[in-house]
Coordinates of all heavy atoms in Angstrom, one line a residue:
M1 N 14.3 -9.9 -17.4 CA 13.6 -10.0 -16.1 C 14.7 -10.5 -15.1 O 15.4 -11.5 -15.4 CB 12.4 -11.0 -16.1 CG 11.7 -11.1 -14.8 SD 10.2 -12.2 -14.9 CE 9.2 -11.2 -16.0
A2 N 14.7 -9.9 -13.9 CA 15.7 -10.3 -12.9 C 15.2 -11.5 -12.1 O 13.9 -11.7 -12.0 CB 16.0 -9.1 -12.0
T3 N 16.1 -12.2 -11.5 CA 15.7 -13.3 -10.7 C 16.3 -13.1 -9.3 O 17.4 -12.7 -9.2 CB 16.3 -14.7 -11.2 OG1 15.7 -14.9 -12.5 CG2 15.9 -15.8 -10.3
I4 N 15.5 -13.2 -8.3 CA 15.9 -13.1 -6.9 C 15.6 -14.4 -6.1 O 14.7 -15.1 -6.5 CB 15.4 -11.8 -6.2 CG1 13.8 -11.9 -6.1 CG2 15.8 -10.6 -6.9 CD1 13.2 -10.8 -5.3
S5 N 16.3 -14.6 -5.1 CA 16.0 -15.7 -4.2 C 15.8 -15.2 -2.8 O 16.6 -14.4 -2.3 CB 17.2 -16.7 -4.2 OG 17.0 -17.7 -3.3
I6 N 14.6 -15.5 -2.2 CA 14.3 -15.0 -0.9 C 13.9 -16.2 0.0 O 13.2 -17.1 -0.4 CB 13.3 -13.9 -0.9 CG1 12.0 -14.4 -1.5 CG2 13.8 -12.7 -1.5 CD1 10.8 -13.5 -1.4
P7 N 14.3 -16.2 1.3 CA 13.8 -17.2 2.2 C 12.4 -16.9 2.6 O 12.1 -15.7 2.8 CB 14.8 -17.1 3.3 CG 15.3 -15.7 3.3 CD 15.3 -15.3 1.9
V8 N 11.6 -17.9 2.8 CA 10.2 -17.7 3.3 C 10.0 -18.7 4.4 O 10.6 -19.8 4.4 CB 9.1 -17.8 2.3 CG1 9.2 -16.7 1.2 CG2 9.1 -19.2 1.6
D9 N 9.2 -18.3 5.4 CA 8.9 -19.3 6.5 C 8.0 -20.4 6.0 O 7.3 -20.2 4.9 CB 8.3 -18.5 7.7 CG 7.0 -17.8 7.3 OD1 6.0 -18.5 7.1 OD2 7.0 -16.6 7.3
P10 N 7.9 -21.5 6.7 CA 7.0 -22.6 6.2 C 5.6 -22.2 6.0 O 4.9 -22.7 5.1 CB 7.2 -23.6 7.4 CG 8.5 -23.3 8.0 CD 8.6 -21.8 7.9
A11 N 5.0 -21.3 6.8 CA 3.6 -20.9 6.6 C 3.4 -20.2 5.3 O 2.4 -20.4 4.6 CB 3.1 -20.1 7.8
T12 N 4.3 -19.3 5.0 CA 4.2 -18.6 3.7 C 4.4 -19.5 2.6 O 3.7 -19.5 1.6 CB 5.3 -17.5 3.7 OG1 5.1 -16.6 4.8 CG2 5.2 -16.7 2.4
D13 N 5.4 -20.4 2.7 CA 5.6 -21.4 1.6 C 4.3 -22.3 1.4 O 3.9 -22.5 0.2 CB 6.8 -22.3 2.0 CG 7.2 -23.2 0.8 OD1 7.4 -22.7 -0.3 OD2 7.3 -24.4 1.1
S14 N 3.7 -22.7 2.5 CA 2.5 -23.5 2.4 C 1.3 -22.6 1.7 O 0.6 -23.1 0.9 CB 2.0 -23.9 3.8 OG 0.8 -24.7 3.7
A15 N 1.2 -21.4 2.1 CA 0.2 -20.5 1.6 C 0.4 -20.3 0.1 O -0.5 -20.4 -0.7 CB 0.2 -19.2 2.3
L16 N 1.7 -20.2 -0.3 CA 2.0 -20.0 -1.8 C 1.6 -21.3 -2.5 O 1.1 -21.2 -3.6 CB 3.4 -19.7 -2.0 CG 3.9 -18.3 -1.6 CD1 5.4 -18.2 -1.6 CD2 3.2 -17.2 -2.5
D17 N 1.9 -22.4 -1.9 CA 1.5 -23.7 -2.5 C 0.0 -23.8 -2.7 O -0.5 -24.2 -3.8 CB 2.0 -24.9 -1.7 CG 3.4 -25.2 -1.8 OD1 4.0 -24.9 -2.9 OD2 4.0 -25.8 -0.8
E18 N -0.8 -23.4 -1.7 CA -2.2 -23.5 -1.8 C -2.8 -22.5 -2.8 O -3.7 -22.9 -3.6 CB -2.8 -23.1 -0.4 CG -2.6 -24.2 0.6 CD -3.2 -23.8 2.0 OE1 -4.1 -22.9 2.1 OE2 -2.7 -24.3 3.0
I19 N -2.3 -21.3 -2.9 CA -2.7 -20.4 -3.9 C -2.4 -20.9 -5.3 O -3.2 -20.8 -6.2 CB -2.1 -19.0 -3.6 CG1 -2.6 -18.4 -2.3 CG2 -2.4 -18.0 -4.8 CD1 -1.8 -17.2 -1.8
A20 N -1.2 -21.4 -5.4 CA -0.7 -21.9 -6.8 C -1.7 -23.0 -7.2 O -2.1 -23.1 -8.4 CB 0.7 -22.3 -6.7
A21 N -1.9 -23.9 -6.3 CA -2.8 -25.1 -6.7 C -4.2 -24.6 -7.0 O -4.8 -25.1 -8.0 CB -2.8 -26.1 -5.5
A22 N -4.7 -23.7 -6.2 CA -6.1 -23.2 -6.4 C -6.2 -22.4 -7.7 O -7.3 -22.4 -8.3 CB -6.6 -22.4 -5.2
T23 N -5.2 -21.7 -8.1 CA -5.2 -20.9 -9.3 C -4.6 -21.6 -10.5 O -4.5 -20.9 -11.6 CB -4.6 -19.5 -9.1 OG1 -3.2 -19.7 -8.7 CG2 -5.3 -18.8 -7.9
K24 N -4.1 -22.8 -10.3 CA -3.5 -23.5 -11.4 C -2.3 -22.7 -12.0 O -2.1 -22.7 -13.2 CB -4.5 -23.9 -12.5 CG -5.5 -24.9 -12.0 CD -6.5 -25.3 -13.1 CE -7.5 -26.3 -12.6 NZ -8.0 -26.3 -11.4
R25 N -1.5 -22.2 -11.1 CA -0.3 -21.4 -11.6 C 0.9 -22.0 -10.8 O 0.7 -22.7 -9.8 CB -0.5 -19.9 -11.3 CG -1.6 -19.3 -12.0 CD -1.8 -17.8 -11.8 NE -1.5 -17.5 -10.4 CZ -1.3 -16.2 -10.0 NH1 -1.5 -15.2 -10.8 NH2 -1.1 -15.9 -8.8
S26 N 2.0 -21.6 -11.2 CA 3.2 -22.0 -10.5 C 3.4 -21.2 -9.2 O 2.9 -20.0 -9.2 CB 4.5 -21.9 -11.3 OG 4.9 -20.6 -11.5
K27 N 4.0 -21.7 -8.2 CA 4.3 -21.0 -7.0 C 5.2 -19.8 -7.3 O 5.0 -18.7 -6.7 CB 5.0 -21.9 -6.0 CG 5.2 -21.2 -4.7 CD 5.6 -22.1 -3.5 CE 6.6 -23.1 -3.7 NZ 6.9 -23.9 -2.5
V28 N 6.1 -19.9 -8.3 CA 7.0 -18.8 -8.6 C 6.1 -17.7 -9.2 O 6.3 -16.5 -8.9 CB 8.1 -19.2 -9.6 CG1 8.8 -18.1 -10.2 CG2 9.0 -20.2 -8.9
D29 N 5.2 -18.0 -10.1 CA 4.3 -17.0 -10.7 C 3.5 -16.3 -9.6 O 3.3 -15.0 -9.7 CB 3.4 -17.6 -11.8 CG 4.2 -17.9 -13.1 OD1 5.3 -17.4 -13.3 OD2 3.6 -18.7 -13.9
V30 N 2.9 -17.0 -8.7 CA 2.1 -16.4 -7.6 C 3.0 -15.5 -6.8 O 2.6 -14.4 -6.5 CB 1.5 -17.5 -6.7 CG1 0.9 -16.9 -5.5 CG2 0.5 -18.4 -7.5
A31 N 4.2 -16.0 -6.4 CA 5.1 -15.1 -5.6 C 5.5 -13.9 -6.3 O 5.5 -12.8 -5.8 CB 6.3 -15.9 -5.2
A32 N 5.8 -14.0 -7.6 CA 6.2 -12.8 -8.4 C 5.0 -11.8 -8.5 O 5.3 -10.6 -8.4 CB 6.6 -13.3 -9.8
D33 N 3.8 -12.3 -8.7 CA 2.7 -11.4 -8.8 C 2.4 -10.7 -7.5 O 2.2 -9.5 -7.5 CB 1.4 -12.2 -9.2 CG 1.4 -12.6 -10.7 OD1 2.3 -12.1 -11.5 OD2 0.6 -13.4 -11.1
L34 N 2.5 -11.4 -6.4 CA 2.3 -10.8 -5.1 C 3.4 -9.8 -4.8 O 3.1 -8.7 -4.3 CB 2.3 -11.9 -4.0 CG 1.1 -12.9 -4.0 CD1 1.4 -14.0 -3.1 CD2 -0.1 -12.1 -3.6
L35 N 4.6 -10.1 -5.1 CA 5.7 -9.2 -4.9 C 5.6 -7.9 -5.7 O 5.8 -6.8 -5.2 CB 7.1 -9.8 -5.1 CG 8.3 -9.0 -4.9 CD1 8.4 -8.5 -3.4 CD2 9.6 -9.8 -5.2
A36 N 5.2 -8.1 -7.0 CA 5.0 -6.9 -7.9 C 3.9 -6.0 -7.3 O 4.0 -4.8 -7.3 CB 4.6 -7.4 -9.3
Q37 N 2.8 -6.6 -6.9 CA 1.7 -5.8 -6.3 C 2.1 -5.1 -5.1 O 1.8 -3.9 -4.9 CB 0.4 -6.7 -6.0 CG -0.7 -5.9 -5.5 CD -1.2 -4.9 -6.6 OE1 -1.5 -5.2 -7.7 NE2 -1.3 -3.6 -6.2
F38 N 2.8 -5.8 -4.2 CA 3.3 -5.1 -3.0 C 4.3 -4.0 -3.3 O 4.2 -2.9 -2.7 CB 4.1 -6.2 -2.1 CG 4.7 -5.5 -0.9 CD1 3.9 -5.2 0.2 CD2 6.0 -5.2 -0.9 CE1 4.5 -4.6 1.3 CE2 6.6 -4.6 0.2 CZ 5.8 -4.3 1.3
A39 N 5.1 -4.2 -4.3 CA 6.1 -3.1 -4.7 C 5.3 -1.9 -5.2 O 5.7 -0.8 -4.9 CB 7.1 -3.7 -5.7
R40 N 4.3 -2.1 -6.0 CA 3.5 -1.0 -6.5 C 2.8 -0.3 -5.4 O 2.8 1.0 -5.3 CB 2.5 -1.5 -7.6 CG 3.1 -1.9 -8.9 CD 2.0 -2.1 -10.0 NE 1.1 -3.2 -9.7 CZ 1.4 -4.5 -10.0 NH1 2.5 -4.8 -10.6 NH2 0.5 -5.4 -9.6
D41 N 2.2 -1.0 -4.5 CA 1.5 -0.4 -3.4 C 2.4 0.4 -2.5 O 2.2 1.5 -2.1 CB 0.8 -1.5 -2.6 CG -0.4 -2.1 -3.3 OD1 -0.8 -1.6 -4.3 OD2 -0.9 -3.2 -2.8
E42 N 3.6 -0.2 -2.2 CA 4.6 0.4 -1.3 C 5.1 1.7 -2.0 O 5.3 2.7 -1.3 CB 5.7 -0.6 -1.0 CG 6.5 -0.2 0.2 CD 5.8 -0.2 1.5 OE1 4.7 -0.7 1.6 OE2 6.4 0.2 2.5
A43 N 5.4 1.6 -3.3 CA 5.9 2.8 -4.0 C 4.9 3.9 -3.9 O 5.2 5.1 -3.7 CB 6.2 2.4 -5.4
E44 N 3.6 3.6 -4.1 CA 2.5 4.6 -4.0 C 2.5 5.2 -2.6 O 2.3 6.4 -2.4 CB 1.2 4.0 -4.3 CG 1.0 3.7 -5.8 CD -0.4 3.1 -6.1 OE1 -1.3 3.2 -5.2 OE2 -0.5 2.5 -7.1
T45 N 2.6 4.4 -1.6 CA 2.6 4.9 -0.2 C 3.8 5.8 0.1 O 3.6 6.9 0.7 CB 2.7 3.7 0.8 OG1 1.5 2.9 0.6 CG2 2.7 4.1 2.2
V46 N 5.0 5.4 -0.4 CA 6.2 6.2 -0.2 C 6.0 7.5 -0.9 O 6.3 8.6 -0.4 CB 7.4 5.5 -0.6 CG1 8.6 6.4 -0.7 CG2 7.7 4.3 0.3
A47 N 5.5 7.5 -2.1 CA 5.3 8.8 -2.9 C 4.3 9.7 -2.2 O 4.5 10.9 -2.1 CB 4.8 8.4 -4.3
A48 N 3.2 9.1 -1.6 CA 2.3 10.0 -0.9 C 2.9 10.6 0.4 O 2.7 11.7 0.7 CB 1.1 9.1 -0.5
I49 N 3.7 9.8 1.1 CA 4.4 10.4 2.2 C 5.3 11.5 1.8 O 5.4 12.5 2.5 CB 5.2 9.2 3.0 CG1 4.2 8.3 3.6 CG2 6.2 9.8 4.0 CD1 4.8 7.0 4.1
L50 N 6.1 11.3 0.8 CA 7.0 12.3 0.3 C 6.2 13.6 -0.1 O 6.7 14.7 0.1 CB 7.9 11.8 -0.8 CG 8.9 10.7 -0.4 CD1 9.6 10.2 -1.6 CD2 9.8 11.2 0.6
R51 N 5.1 13.4 -0.8 CA 4.3 14.6 -1.2 C 3.8 15.3 0.1 O 3.8 16.5 0.1 CB 3.1 14.2 -2.0 CG 3.4 13.8 -3.4 CD 2.2 13.7 -4.3 NE 1.2 12.7 -3.8 CZ 1.2 11.4 -4.1 NH1 2.1 10.9 -4.8 NH2 0.2 10.7 -3.6
G52 N 3.4 14.5 1.1 CA 2.9 15.2 2.4 C 4.1 15.9 3.0 O 3.8 17.0 3.5
R53 N 5.2 15.3 3.0 CA 6.4 16.0 3.6 C 6.7 17.3 2.9 O 7.0 18.3 3.5 CB 7.6 15.1 3.6 CG 7.6 14.0 4.7 CD 8.8 13.2 4.6 NE 8.8 12.2 5.7 CZ 9.7 11.2 5.7 NH1 10.7 11.1 4.8 NH2 9.6 10.3 6.7
A54 N 6.6 17.3 1.6 CA 6.8 18.5 0.8 C 5.8 19.5 1.1 O 6.1 20.7 1.1 CB 6.8 18.1 -0.7
D55 N 4.5 19.1 1.2 CA 3.5 20.1 1.6 C 3.8 20.7 3.0 O 3.7 22.0 3.1 CB 2.1 19.4 1.7 CG 1.5 19.1 0.3 OD1 2.0 19.7 -0.7 OD2 0.6 18.3 0.3
V56 N 4.2 20.0 3.9 CA 4.6 20.5 5.2 C 5.7 21.5 5.1 O 5.7 22.6 5.6 CB 4.9 19.4 6.2 CG1 5.5 20.0 7.5 CG2 3.6 18.6 6.6
D57 N 6.8 21.1 4.4 CA 7.9 21.9 4.2 C 7.6 23.2 3.5 O 8.2 24.3 3.8 CB 9.0 21.2 3.4 CG 9.7 20.0 4.2 OD1 9.5 20.0 5.4 OD2 10.3 19.2 3.5
A58 N 6.6 23.2 2.6 CA 6.2 24.4 1.9 C 5.1 25.2 2.6 O 4.6 26.2 2.2 CB 5.6 24.0 0.5
G59 N 4.7 24.7 3.8 CA 3.7 25.4 4.6 C 2.3 25.2 4.2 O 1.4 25.9 4.6
R60 N 2.1 24.2 3.3 CA 0.7 23.9 2.9 C 0.0 22.9 3.9 O -0.1 21.7 3.6 CB 0.7 23.3 1.5 CG 1.2 24.2 0.4 CD 1.2 23.6 -1.0 NE 2.0 22.4 -1.1 CZ 3.3 22.4 -1.6 NH1 3.8 23.6 -2.0 NH2 3.9 21.3 -1.8
T61 N -0.4 23.5 5.0 CA -1.0 22.7 6.0 C -2.2 23.5 6.5 O -2.4 24.6 6.3 CB -0.1 22.5 7.2 OG1 0.3 23.7 7.8 CG2 1.2 21.8 6.8
V62 N -3.1 22.7 7.3 CA -4.2 23.3 8.0 C -4.1 22.8 9.4 O -3.5 21.8 9.7 CB -5.6 23.0 7.4 CG1 -5.7 23.5 5.9 CG2 -5.8 21.5 7.4
S63 N -4.7 23.6 10.3 CA -4.8 23.2 11.7 C -5.6 22.0 11.9 O -6.5 21.6 11.0 CB -5.3 24.3 12.6 OG -6.7 24.5 12.3
H64 N -5.5 21.3 13.0 CA -6.3 20.2 13.3 C -7.8 20.6 13.4 O -8.6 19.8 12.8 CB -5.9 19.6 14.7 CG -6.8 18.4 15.1 ND1 -6.7 17.2 14.6 CD2 -7.7 18.4 16.1 CE1 -7.6 16.4 15.1 NE2 -8.2 17.1 16.1
E65 N -8.0 21.7 13.9 CA -9.4 22.2 14.0 C -10.0 22.4 12.6 O -11.2 22.0 12.4 CB -9.5 23.5 14.8 CG -9.1 23.3 16.3 CD -7.6 23.2 16.6 OE1 -6.8 23.5 15.7 OE2 -7.3 22.7 17.7
E66 N -9.3 23.0 11.7 CA -9.8 23.2 10.4 C -10.0 21.9 9.7 O -11.0 21.6 9.0 CB -8.9 24.1 9.6 CG -9.3 24.3 8.1 CD -10.7 24.8 7.9 OE1 -11.2 25.5 8.8 OE2 -11.3 24.6 6.8
A67 N -9.0 20.9 9.8 CA -9.2 19.6 9.2 C -10.4 18.9 9.7 O -11.2 18.3 8.9 CB -7.9 18.8 9.5
M68 N -10.7 19.0 11.0 CA -11.9 18.3 11.6 C -13.1 19.0 11.1 O -14.1 18.4 10.8 CB -11.8 18.3 13.1 CG -10.7 17.4 13.6 SD -10.8 15.7 13.0 CE -12.3 15.2 13.6
A69 N -13.1 20.3 11.0 CA -14.3 21.1 10.5 C -14.6 20.7 9.0 O -15.7 20.4 8.7 CB -14.0 22.6 10.6
R70 N -13.5 20.5 8.2 CA -13.7 20.1 6.8 C -14.3 18.7 6.8 O -15.2 18.4 6.0 CB -12.4 20.1 6.1 CG -11.9 21.5 5.8 CD -10.6 21.4 5.0 NE -10.0 22.8 4.8 CZ -8.9 23.0 4.2 NH1 -8.2 22.0 3.6 NH2 -8.4 24.2 4.1
F71 N -13.7 17.8 7.6 CA -14.2 16.4 7.7 C -15.7 16.4 8.1 O -16.5 15.7 7.5 CB -13.4 15.6 8.7 CG -14.0 14.3 9.0 CD1 -13.8 13.2 8.1 CD2 -14.7 14.0 10.2 CE1 -14.3 12.0 8.4 CE2 -15.2 12.8 10.5 CZ -15.0 11.8 9.5
R72 N -16.1 17.2 9.1 CA -17.5 17.2 9.5 C -18.4 17.7 8.4 O -19.5 17.1 8.2 CB -17.6 18.0 10.8 CG -17.0 17.3 12.0 CD -17.3 18.1 13.3 NE -16.5 17.6 14.4 CZ -15.4 18.1 14.8 NH1 -14.9 19.2 14.3 NH2 -14.7 17.5 15.8
R73 N -18.0 18.7 7.7 CA -18.8 19.2 6.6 C -19.0 18.2 5.5 O -20.1 18.0 5.0 CB -18.2 20.5 6.0 CG -18.3 21.7 6.9 CD -18.0 23.0 6.2 NE -16.6 23.1 5.7 CZ -15.6 23.5 6.4 NH1 -15.7 24.0 7.7 NH2 -14.4 23.5 5.9
T74 N -17.9 17.5 5.2 CA -17.9 16.5 4.2 C -18.9 15.3 4.7 O -19.7 14.8 3.9 CB -16.5 15.9 3.9 OG1 -15.7 17.0 3.4 CG2 -16.6 14.8 2.9
A75 N -18.7 14.9 5.9 CA -19.6 13.8 6.5 C -21.1 14.2 6.5 O -21.9 13.3 6.3 CB -19.1 13.5 7.9
R76 N -21.3 15.5 6.6 CA -22.7 15.9 6.5 C -23.2 16.1 5.1 O -24.4 16.5 4.9 CB -22.9 17.3 7.3 CG -22.8 17.1 8.8 CD -23.2 18.4 9.5 NE -22.5 19.6 9.1 CZ -21.4 20.1 9.8 NH1 -21.0 19.6 10.9 NH2 -20.8 21.2 9.3
G77 N -22.3 16.0 4.1 CA -22.7 16.1 2.7 C -22.7 17.6 2.3 O -23.3 17.9 1.3
E78 N -22.0 18.4 3.0 CA -21.9 19.8 2.6 C -20.8 20.1 1.6 O -19.9 19.5 1.5 CB -21.7 20.7 3.8 CG -22.9 20.6 4.8 CD -22.6 21.3 6.1 OE1 -21.7 22.1 6.2 OE2 -23.4 21.1 7.1

């Protein structure tokens, strides 16, 4: 496991202290869990953006009008 050192502002440090105390975990464990979750979420977001760009590059798009028509049909339960 790698170790990194990052600066945090006082408010973040305090929030980490509060979470750690409330969950009976170390501040390092709380920060590592939060960072891991953020990294997973961000990786999923980046992957989705890249898939969208690939769709556009390949011409797999619909017009705004068609997208809205599909949305309206879905909203009506069709």
Side-chain angles (χ1 to χ4, degrees):
M1 182 177 294
T3 300
I4 62 173
S5 176
I6 57 171
V8 295
D9 60 69
T12 300
D13 188 50
S14 178
L16 289 171
D17 282 333
E18 289 177 23
I19 295 166
T23 60
K24 296 181 176 36
R25 300 181 322 169
S26 74
K27 183 165 49 174
V28 169
D29 286 342
V30 170
D33 288 347
L34 291 170
L35 183 58
Q37 183 61 54
F38 175 80
R40 286 190 299 272
D41 292 347
E42 196 70 5
E44 288 178 21
T45 299
V46 169
I49 290 167
L50 294 176
R51 285 191 306 273
R53 286 182 178 168
D55 284 342
V56 169
D57 291 345
R60 294 184 297 264
T61 62
V62 297
S63 69
H64 175 73
E65 292 76 18
E66 176 58 23
M68 292 306 297
R70 289 180 186 182
F71 171 77
R72 288 185 191 100
R73 286 192 301 269
T74 300
R76 290 191 302 261
E78 299 174 11

